[in-house]
Amino acid sequence: MALTSDEHLGSPSDSPPTEGDRWFFGHPRGLVTLFSVEMWERFSWYALQALLVLYLSDTAAHGGLGMEQGEAASLVSAYGTLVYLL
């Protein structure tokens, strides 16, 4: 049986993606992974900022640096601002 020029063996289809490839509110599947990674990164960033304030403001006897809580929060806020600006 001879193949005609319209038949291709093992080549990908030139047709557009089917509707089965889009299931996340009409967006591609990869968006779920991207969204999850970005949310985890944001959660980690803000959690570590809060932990840094607690570390800076804890007493030296408990392993902290003994700063005033307002001063520690200002320092972490300035750091966060510089990260976003850069």
Side-chain angles (χ1 to χ4, degrees):
M1 175 173 165
L3 295 175
T4 63
S5 62
D6 293 336
E7 294 176 312
H8 303 286
L9 276 178
S11 65
S13 174
D14 293 334
S15 64
T18 62
E19 290 298 318
D21 290 341
R22 298 180 176 272
W23 62 275
F24 185 66
F25 297 109
H27 297 287
R29 290 177 185 245
L31 192 62
V32 174
T33 304
L34 181 66
F35 176 78
S36 300
V37 169
E38 180 66 21
M39 283 302 298
W40 181 252
E41 186 268 336
R42 291 286 171 180
F43 174 76
S44 299
W45 167 256
Y46 290 118
L48 284 176
Q49 278 189 322
L51 289 174
L52 182 58
V53 170
L54 292 175
Y55 167 71
L56 292 173
S57 63
D58 199 9
T59 62
H62 292 131
L65 295 182
M67 297 174 76
E68 293 292 325
Q69 193 170 12
E71 185 181 351
S74 295
L75 182 64
V76 171
S77 297
Y79 172 72
T81 302
L82 287 174
V83 166
Y84 280 120
L85 287 175
L86 292 176

